[in-house]
Every structure is written in C-alpha cells, then in structure tokens.
Amino acid sequence: MNPWGNVRIAAIANLGGTLYAVHYVCPGIGKLALTDELTAFTNQTARFRDTRRAFIFAGESYTDILTELEQTDKTNTKLILYGDAYRSLQLPVHLLSCNDTGAVQLQIMAVPDYRKKLTQAALKNQYQPPPKDVPVWDALFQGLPFVMAADMDLRRIDAAIRAAHGQGIKQIAVAALRGQAETVLFPCYRDPGLARVFVLTDEAISEVTGRPPLPYLPPRTQFITPKGDVIDAPPFQTHGKTGRSH
C-alpha cells in the first residue's frame, strides 16, 4: 500500500502552526501532477483540523529554484512543470535555500505569527499597523507599505506591489535576510525600482526567535534526557561463529 501515491512531496513540516508540503526543486526537475500532490497533502494531514497549509519549494539555492520556476509548458493538462504549478497554486508558496540562510529562515517561520513579531522588532517605534483591507501589507513604514519577506513568499510581495500601485503608490518597503536580499530581492525588486529593500539585523531576528541567527549545531556530547539521564543503547548481539551464515 502506498498512501502517498508516488507524489513528489519530500516531507511535511509543521512550523509556527502551519503545515507545509516540502518539495525539492532544481533546474530540470521535470513535471508533477499537481492535483495528485494536493490530494495527497490534504488526505495525509486531514487529522490537523483548522490548520493553515502552504508549500515550501526548497533547492540548493534561491537562484536554482527561480531558474526552474521561470519555465512554462502547458502542452499536458495533467503533468505540468513546477513553474506552472507555482503560478497556479492557490496556497502560499515559500522558497527555501538549503544553506545557512535557509536554516535561519526556518527558525523564523517556526515562530507563530512571525510576520507581525518580526515586523515590529525590525521597525520598532516606526511601526504603524497596516490597513485592515490590505492583508498583504504587514505595516506602514515612512509612508510606504511594508512587507516582511524573510519567509520568501515572493507572490505575496508581488500582490503587495499590485495593491500599492492600485492606490497610486509606486514603491513598497521590504525586509529580509541578507542572503535573500542579495540573491533575489535586490535584482528582482530594488533594481527595477519596485521596492526599497532592507536587511534584517541580527538583533531583530534574535528578538523573535530567541536565539542567534545561525544554523543549529548539536553538541557532540551524549544525549541527556529532561531528567538528566543518559540513554544507554546496548551493543547488538551477534549470532553464531564468524563466517557462519544464518
């Protein structure tokens, strides 16, 4: 029995009260049956009622992921490229680079209500709440709509820009991790004049996550239980004499 139906979901992550279907995306990864992916994701997480759901597209780098997402091919109605899936999904899609920057991104996303908390930590006394009728803005900053982009939901940034343009505002403000800004947000949003891009400080990140913005490296020591005990795993028993088959 294969309850996943051979879909491409690599993992299910529960971060900050949201369930994420994690996919590995790289140039030339091929096509997927999006309907099957959504069905499997829904069925296998059905026990988690009233829980938000989203996708994570992970890859070696943000650049690798975006290279694949730029592709389009709608010649097949069932199997589609990741680029076409990215543009058609109704659920949020977050990009994730498998490096130190991506590790800190996951630390942030694991905090419930991370957008509001990180926005307030970054803007401090310059924070102004966003209009209630524009949920894709996280705040107003120096008269500009502000978007917290550390979770790399680029479609949300695009929606925030469209909402700003609809109100006659030519530019928004965006904040993200340095690695995200340098590889994606500067060329895609700052350079074309769509957004002012700010890099989050270590202090703002740590205020929300409660830890330094660095990948977690477990100590190379024995595992200690909450009671202070050491788990003892006895050696496996060997059977019979050396060379004898069993």
Side-chain angles (χ1 to χ4, degrees):
M1 180 179 178
N2 182 5
W4 290 96
N6 298 316
V7 296
R8 288 198 168 189
I9 297 175
I12 299 292
N14 187 350
L15 302 172
T18 299
L19 289 172
Y20 297 91
V22 183
H23 285 241
Y24 184 82
V25 179
C26 64
I29 190 65
K31 297 183 177 183
L32 74 163
L34 184 57
T35 301
D36 293 348
E37 301 288 336
L38 290 168
T39 299
F41 184 29
T42 300
N43 290 344
Q44 298 305 318
T45 60
R47 59 176 296 192
F48 299 96
R49 300 182 183 276
D50 302 321
T51 303
R52 295 186 300 272
R53 287 168 172 75
F55 278 74
I56 289 178
F57 284 0
E60 287 301 304
S61 67
Y62 296 114
T63 302
D64 272 3
I65 302 168
L66 287 171
T67 297
E68 179 61 24
L69 297 186
E70 291 172 354
Q71 309 304 313
T72 184
D73 179 8
K74 297 184 178 180
T75 58
N76 191 313
T77 57
K78 181 173 176 61
L79 296 176
I80 60 175
L81 292 173
Y82 269 94
D84 294 318
Y86 177 69
R87 285 178 282 275
S88 62
L89 274 167
Q90 298 299 309
L91 294 175
V93 181
H94 304 262
L95 310 188
L96 177 70
S97 183
C98 295
N99 55 18
D100 289 359
T101 299
V104 177
Q105 176 183 338
L106 289 177
Q107 292 172 10
I108 292 170
M109 293 173 66
V111 177
D113 201 16
Y114 63 85
R115 284 199 189 109
K116 182 176 181 179
K117 293 177 181 176
L118 192 51
T119 296
Q120 292 177 333
L123 300 184
K124 298 188 183 303
N125 59 359
Q126 296 192 68
Y127 170 83
Q128 293 182 336
K132 293 183 179 180
D133 60 341
V134 191
V136 290
W137 296 352
D138 296 307
L140 295 177
F141 171 64
Q142 298 181 354
L144 295 178
F146 178 90
V147 175
M148 178 52 64
D151 59 3
M152 289 301 282
D153 183 352
L154 301 188
R155 299 189 310 178
R156 188 168 183 268
I157 301 176
D158 297 337
I161 292 172
R162 290 193 297 270
H165 289 175
Q167 297 190 22
I169 304 171
K170 296 182 179 180
Q171 195 178 56
I172 68 171
V174 175
L177 304 175
R178 180 171 297 279
Q180 299 167 340
E182 292 177 346
T183 58
V184 179
L185 303 183
F186 286 168
C188 293
Y189 297 99
R190 183 196 66 177
D191 296 348
L194 297 172
R196 295 174 61 189
V197 179
F198 298 89
V199 173
L200 292 166
T201 65
D202 291 352
E203 292 76 15
I205 299 169
S206 296
E207 182 179 331
V208 173
T209 63
R211 51 172 297 124
L214 298 168
Y216 172 70
L217 295 176
R220 302 186 66 178
T221 59
Q222 297 168 305
F223 178 79
I224 306 298
T225 69
K227 294 182 178 181
D229 299 327
V230 176
I231 294 180
D232 178 38
F236 291 106
Q237 293 183 351
T238 58
H239 298 278
K241 297 180 180 180
T242 303
R244 184 179 176 183
S245 61
H246 295 275

